[in-house]
Amino acid sequence: MANQANVNPVPDTLLDRFRPAPRGPWADLPDAQWNDWRWHLGHSLTTVESLRQVIDVSEDEAAGAEEGRDAFKIGITPYYAALMDRKDPGCPVRLQATPRTAEMHVDRWDLADPLAEERDMPVPGVTHRYPDRVLFYVTHDCAMFCRHCTRKRKVANPGTAANAQQIQAGIEYIRRTPAIRDVIVSGGDPLTWSDDRLARLLEQLRAIPHVEIIRIGTRTPVTLPQRITPDLVAMLRQFHPLFVNTHFNHPKETTREAFEACRLMADAGIPIGNQTVLLRGVNDDAAVLMDLNRRLLMMRVKPYYLFQCDPTRGNSHLRTTVAKGMEIMDALRGWTSGMAVPYYVIDAPGGGGKVPLLPSYVVYRDDTKIVVRNYRGTEHTYWEPET
Ligand code: SF4
């Protein structure tokens, strides 16, 4: 568990709702090893045989691993693996982590690069689509390889590693493009890097006068919370304004360890946002997302986006309909704090960017008035100003 020194107190009544994660077959491992993020990366589960330590591997999972051997690697930290239900292949954590034969099915609309990120790269690794911000791909590596990953075309593939030259060219592009005020450092997962290596990158970005904010995209608070150490946050806080966006998908992931990781970052003044992906069988249920988002707020993590799952090759078994997403949003808005309601967006295939989707609350509108329905379905009229 993350070091708890110098963190602000949280009432025990709230803290008690965040249970320490089970350790599964590693119950007897010394704490020093379990709390060491490098131990987890060094003991990543990458084969069916290693998975058998934690789950009764189903025929479909075994066949999925065999058939998909060359398509998308398996890689699960012991921490995340121990969250999986041994018996239930439909466990929401397991569905995100273990391969299935359905990944070999390619739907008519599936794309290798659904967001056309490669098309909008002025230099390799920098996607510059929106006027004032860029996505900076710095590594192909992740603590865990999520089965629904949008970038599975390159993530986990050493052939797409961003070498030092490419990263330097990316920094140079950002430096000579004054319109860029927001840099999203992403991958892969930048927190698979050492603190020193990440600090060198952040130093260079922070030295560019027109870069106002830096965001780090990382799933380590979910899949490897041990990575969020006091040393890491002491380093990150030197580069404010710096934000972290993470990716919790299910309440089972909100363990005490995850709580402590987020507490360390929040106490260091790092605002944390969450980007959930709507996944069939994992979280396509309003009660599950309501619970997740309320728990995230207690962790000082703002639910930011709920993404319609991208049509990445082999993802169709995890995708839900947009109608389902709208139904869920209707069941969230008004029924819980607005703070707990993320934007529901489609990242438009072909590089159209993020488009928000909302159930319609407008019943009627003309030049004089608008009639709206509220979350309970009652209608109300708002009159426009007469002058
Ligand atoms: S952590 Fe993010 S980039 Fe890495 S596999 Fe998961 S979704 Fe993809």
Side-chain angles (χ1 to χ4, degrees):
M1 196 176 298
N3 185 324
Q4 295 183 31
N6 301 320
V7 292
N8 293 330
V10 171
D12 285 346
T13 45
L14 292 188
L15 210 47
D16 285 348
R17 300 192 205 175
F18 295 84
R19 310 308 306 164
R23 291 195 184 184
W26 300 281
D28 295 331
L29 195 77
D31 284 354
Q33 274 171 292
W34 185 255
N35 295 333
D36 177 357
W37 63 278
R38 291 183 189 278
W39 180 88
H40 285 267
L41 291 184
H43 290 80
S44 179
L45 310 188
T46 57
T47 62
V48 168
E49 289 64 43
S50 59
L51 283 175
R52 291 193 202 286
Q53 297 174 79
V54 270
I55 54 171
D56 299 339
V57 177
S58 70
E59 282 180 23
D60 188 53
E61 287 170 316
E66 179 61 31
E67 291 173 28
R69 181 188 300 268
D70 300 324
F72 191 48
K73 189 174 160 179
I74 305 169
I76 312 170
T77 55
Y79 165 82
Y80 198 73
L83 296 179
M84 297 194 288
D85 187 300
R86 175 172 276 285
K87 301 276 178 214
D88 179 13
C91 157
V93 172
R94 193 161 153 179
L95 276 173
Q96 297 179 63
T98 62
R100 313 291 162 122
T101 52
E103 289 181 19
M104 292 299 102
H105 170 75
V106 178
D107 244 18
R108 182 155 50 128
W109 307 112
D110 285 359
L111 295 163
D113 178 14
L115 311 183
E117 290 175 328
E118 306 291 329
R119 188 197 64 197
D120 286 343
M121 283 187 182
V123 295
V126 176
T127 300
H128 192 178
R129 168 162 305 146
Y130 302 98
D132 66 346
R133 53 207 181 275
V134 291
L135 180 89
F136 194 5
Y137 179 91
V138 298
T139 175
H140 68 291
D141 216 357
C142 292
M144 211 258 310
F145 298 116
C146 314
R147 306 322 294 179
H148 55 277
C149 181
T150 294
R151 295 194 191 117
K152 58 171 79 160
R153 69 185 184 279
K154 56 203 292 183
V155 163
N157 178 358
T160 70
N163 62 30
Q165 233 176 349
Q166 176 176 317
I167 290 170
Q168 212 48 47
I171 292 169
E172 292 306 324
Y173 175 78
I174 294 166
R175 188 176 287 134
R176 67 174 184 266
T177 312
I180 299 168
R181 44 165 287 281
D182 175 2
V183 178
I184 302 160
V185 180
S186 184
D189 196 318
L191 292 193
T192 54
W193 280 10
S194 70
D195 293 2
D196 286 348
R197 189 174 181 200
L198 190 56
R200 286 196 293 274
L201 175 77
L202 296 175
E203 262 164 25
Q204 293 196 74
L205 291 175
R206 195 30 91 215
I208 301 172
H210 52 264
V211 171
E212 295 172 6
I213 63 170
I214 299 171
R215 293 190 266 174
I216 294 182
T218 175
R219 208 179 180 202
T220 56
V222 185
T223 58
L224 181 60
Q226 293 85 349
R227 176 65 187 99
I228 312 300
T229 62
D231 284 350
L232 173 73
V233 295
M235 182 275 283
L236 293 177
R237 70 186 306 166
Q238 297 174 65
F239 300 103
H240 277 315
L242 180 142
F243 296 68
V244 162
N245 274 336
T246 189
H247 177 171
F248 286 91
N249 282 337
H250 192 275
K252 264 187 100 169
E253 298 167 336
T254 56
T255 63
R256 178 69 70 89
E257 287 83 349
F259 185 101
E260 295 299 342
C262 293
R263 173 152 73 167
L264 273 178
M265 291 192 286
D267 281 356
I270 300 171
I272 312 164
N274 188 61
Q275 308 191 150
T276 293
V277 179
L278 186 59
L279 296 170
R280 193 195 302 177
V282 173
N283 57 16
D284 56 341
D285 179 295
V288 168
L289 285 179
M290 178 91 85
D291 186 25
L292 172 66
N293 292 334
R294 286 173 171 170
R295 291 178 69 80
L296 289 173
L297 285 185
M298 285 188 275
M299 295 163 67
R300 288 184 280 171
V301 177
K302 169 75 181 87
Y304 177 35
Y305 282 132
L306 172 64
F307 280 112
Q308 181 66 17
C309 183
D310 294 324
T312 310
R313 275 175 205 252
N315 271 9
S316 56
H317 63 297
L318 290 168
R319 288 169 55 198
T320 56
T321 61
V322 172
K324 185 68 180 172
M326 293 288 221
E327 181 192 310
I328 289 172
M329 290 307 290
D330 221 7
L332 294 181
R333 181 155 296 283
W335 298 100
T336 190
S337 336
M339 285 281 288
V341 182
Y343 290 107
Y344 175 41
V345 295
I346 284 188
D347 216 333
K354 295 180 189 69
V355 179
L357 297 172
L358 261 185
S360 179
Y361 294 97
V362 177
V363 177
Y364 174 81
R365 184 176 194 180
D366 63 26
D367 289 346
T368 62
K369 65 177 183 293
I370 182 167
V371 181
V372 293
R373 72 163 175 91
N374 73 5
Y375 70 103
R376 290 184 184 275
T378 62
E379 294 184 10
H380 303 265
T381 302
Y382 175 89
W383 294 95
E384 301 283 15
E386 287 184 324
T387 53

